[in-house]
Amino acid sequence: MTIDSIKNGIVIDHIPAGRSLEIYHYLKLDRVDCSVAILKNVVSEKLGRKDIIKLDEVLDLNYDVLGYLAPDCTVNIIRDGETVEKRHLQLPDRLVGVIACKNPRCITTIEQGLTHIFKLTDRANGIYRCIYCESKA
Amino acid sequence: MNGPRHLIDILDLTPAEIDGLIARACDIIAHPADYAHLCAGKKLATLFFEPSTRTRLSFEAAMYELGGHVIGFSDAANSSSSKGESVSDTVRVVACYADIIAMRHFKEGAPMVAAMKSPVPIINAGDGGHNHPTQTLTDLLTIWREKGRLDRLTVGFCGDLKFGRTVHSLISALSRYPDIRFVLISPEELKVPSYIKDVLKQKNLEYVQTTDLEAVMPELDILYMTRVQRERFFNEEEYLRLKNSYILTPDKLRTAKRDLSILHPLPRVNEIAVTVADDPRACYFRQALNGKFIRMALILKLLEVE
Ligand SMILES: [Zn+2]
């Protein structure tokens, strides 16, 4: 895999500098079979510095997770060397099984098999609340 | 098929539904004999994972006065949850034996988890510091019976406005009625959380914050008292300095309106002087009675008994 150009794959661009490893972790990219390149601290006109993640295969990514971690990033889908799709992400309405509730009094701390679910309650300020106890994420 | 209706958060009910429950409760008060057998053959399960004697008794009295039966437990130590059973399993088992469930739990969100799995209606009877919608219904019925309306009122909340869940729920419920003015009276350390103020601002509702109960007393139609607890303060000195300012005494009531209504979710410890109970403006014991009637109306609604 060359870093500059991929024939088929995904380029996650405009990741705020320093966030790429966290995204790598949450998207579980350590478990995929294709090559993954992480570019850190790339000079960007828009952001000053940014991170980029490149994958040499078109995988089914969890866009809710990505939208939550880096709502301003851009996802380019590349096929035969051409960008066939450019996705602009936004904060997802719900986060299912992505983050855990931090409230020690929340039912999620004791109920077995209960999925942590958060709801976007304030888009302007990016505030998510646990659907069970309503604590902030 | 639609699942059963539950009551987890006071905002699960529309203002029209709350008006309907209040009308039903008033009719029950006027004609108790008409309601004495409406729930014959039905069972209410009271699942109290955390003890709360007065809330449980209120639910049980409500079901008995409708001619129904009550089963359940009053303490998690006597239940299967002490063996580690999940809320969802407990509720699925109990639903085999009961037609409706009132659940109190020390974990926030537990009644919601129960509602997601239960084939019978779940009533949240208090979940940690989170919600307690039947207390709010009780407060609303009390205001209605004392004042004859739920709009055009200046409502003072006094004491611990930071951790007082009954305060937060009543503010949310009242913020849906027109011309309510809120007066929030508390020490600096125990002011209402910012998200409550955000709701009031978003809805363009009038509110004032103050530390001085006596200064605002003449304006109030309703005074909702809550307890300022010692454990909320970092040091004993602060607590002792502040607590007297938020204790209601006959002396502080001198400048109050003659038709002021004083509410308190009870139990009261020392935040209202004992002598105030003799003042006709003190409604907290009438409020406790109202709690039974509004729970009767709620049980009928959720069981769809007409
Ligand atoms: Zn939670």
Side-chain angles (χ1 to χ4, degrees):
Chain A
M1 176 183 186
T2 59
I3 303 291
D4 298 329
S5 59
I6 43 180
K7 209 158 164 26
N8 289 297
I10 298 178
V11 177
I12 308 170
D13 200 357
H14 302 114
I15 298 170
R19 302 295 301 273
S20 54
L21 285 176
E22 194 183 359
I23 290 172
Y24 177 85
H25 169 75
Y26 274 96
L27 289 178
K28 301 187 169 74
L29 296 180
D30 52 335
R31 297 185 205 166
V32 301
D33 290 330
C34 70
S35 312
V36 180
I38 298 174
L39 285 77
K40 298 182 70 170
N41 253 348
V42 179
V43 179
S44 153
E45 278 175 34
K46 208 160 98 184
L47 300 174
R49 294 278 177 178
K50 65 177 181 181
D51 287 0
I52 303 173
I53 296 177
K54 295 189 180 192
L55 309 165
D56 75 348
E57 210 175 283
V58 181
L59 300 171
D60 195 13
L61 295 180
N62 187 334
Y63 287 105
D64 284 349
V65 171
L66 196 52
Y68 172 65
L69 293 171
D72 297 320
C73 78
T74 336
V75 178
N76 300 294
I77 313 282
I78 320 277
R79 288 191 201 277
D80 295 325
E82 304 271 330
T83 301
V84 293
E85 193 187 338
K86 212 175 186 55
R87 274 186 192 225
H88 294 280
L89 297 185
Q90 55 170 352
L91 292 171
D93 293 329
R94 278 160 79 86
L95 283 173
V96 179
V98 179
I99 47 171
C101 183
K102 295 192 288 274
N103 174 9
R105 297 177 309 277
C106 181
I107 185 63
T108 53
T109 58
I110 57 164
E111 182 83 355
Q112 313 118 34
L114 186 64
T115 310
H116 289 254
I117 302 176
F118 284 78
K119 204 168 61 184
L120 181 61
T121 55
D122 178 351
R123 186 171 287 279
N125 297 303
I127 292 172
Y128 284 86
R129 287 184 186 274
C130 171
I131 65 158
Y132 306 105
C133 73
E134 297 179 86
S135 295
K136 275 191 210 175
Chain B
M1 198 189 93
N2 288 328
R5 218 19 227 284
H6 308 287
L7 178 61
I8 305 303
D9 183 318
I10 189 66
L11 298 181
D12 294 346
L13 295 166
T14 65
E17 286 177 314
I18 289 177
D19 293 348
L21 287 172
I22 289 174
R24 197 72 183 281
C26 292
D27 194 57
I28 294 170
I29 294 163
H31 311 286
D34 293 355
Y35 291 87
H37 306 289
L38 285 186
C39 284
K42 304 258 187 212
K43 280 167 285 174
L44 163 76
T46 51
L47 307 188
F48 277 53
F49 292 86
E50 167 188 76
S52 170
T53 306
R54 66 189 67 228
T55 303
R56 187 170 52 84
L57 293 184
S58 179
F59 271 106
E60 296 188 359
M63 192 58 173
Y64 284 126
E65 290 197 20
L66 291 167
H69 298 279
V70 179
I71 56 175
F73 55 84
S74 56
D75 188 335
N78 301 321
S79 82
S80 50
S81 79
S82 62
K83 302 189 193 88
E85 187 177 47
S86 67
V87 168
S88 3
D89 281 8
T90 304
V91 99
R92 271 185 282 194
V93 171
V94 172
C96 301
Y97 311 130
D99 301 283
I100 184 164
I101 294 172
M103 176 188 281
R104 184 165 187 116
H105 205 289
F106 48 93
K107 288 289 184 182
E108 300 172 4
M112 186 189 203
V113 170
M116 288 159 66
K117 291 288 156 58
S118 174
V120 303
I122 301 285
I123 301 172
N124 181 358
D127 60 335
H130 185 216
N131 280 322
H132 193 1
T134 57
Q135 178 64 51
T136 309
L137 287 173
T138 301
D139 299 339
L140 292 169
L141 174 61
T142 304
I143 295 172
W144 171 264
R145 291 190 71 200
E146 299 291 328
K147 290 281 177 266
R149 62 181 195 273
L150 292 176
D151 55 0
R152 293 173 290 117
L153 292 167
T154 296
V155 187
F157 289 91
C158 178
D160 179 355
L161 308 189
K162 186 173 181 184
F163 299 98
R165 64 179 173 188
T166 55
V167 169
H168 305 162
S169 303
L170 187 54
I171 291 176
S172 323
L174 283 173
S175 68
R176 303 194 290 182
Y177 293 88
D179 300 321
I180 298 284
R181 199 171 151 259
F182 293 97
V183 181
L184 309 171
I185 311 144
S186 71
E188 283 298 324
E189 295 84 343
L190 296 175
K191 291 206 293 203
V192 289
S194 56
Y195 73 91
I196 296 280
K197 277 184 283 174
D198 289 346
V199 170
L200 296 176
K201 280 182 213 155
Q202 265 168 29
K203 293 189 171 182
N204 256 328
L205 292 167
E206 198 187 330
Y207 73 92
V208 288
Q209 280 187 297
T210 175
T211 55
D212 190 349
L213 172 60
E214 286 181 88
V216 294
M217 188 65 89
E219 308 165 26
L220 306 178
D221 298 311
I222 307 281
L223 173 58
Y224 196 96
M225 292 296 298
T226 62
R227 195 181 334 145
V228 171
Q229 290 166 288
R230 181 178 269 117
E231 54 268 32
R232 302 295 188 208
F233 288 89
F234 292 114
N235 62 62
E236 186 76 8
E237 249 166 73
E238 275 293 276
Y239 168 71
L240 292 174
R241 182 176 65 77
L242 284 165
K243 86 173 179 176
N244 289 330
S245 337
Y246 303 97
I247 291 180
L248 190 59
T249 56
D251 193 45
K252 290 194 184 108
L253 281 168
R254 271 182 304 117
T255 58
K257 285 187 183 172
R258 294 177 61 161
D259 66 346
L260 170 75
S261 301
I262 306 162
L263 277 71
H264 190 296
L266 299 179
R268 76 183 153 130
V269 179
N270 56 6
E271 57 276 23
I272 304 183
V274 177
T275 46
V276 173
D278 301 327
D279 190 309
R281 292 172 290 190
C283 352
Y284 28 92
F285 294 109
R286 296 198 289 279
Q287 190 180 356
L289 182 61
N290 288 333
K292 179 185 69 183
F293 295 123
I294 201 73
R295 288 182 176 95
M296 290 170 76
L298 178 66
I299 290 168
L300 291 172
K301 178 181 174 64
L302 296 182
L303 286 177
E304 298 177 355
V305 176
E306 290 309 317

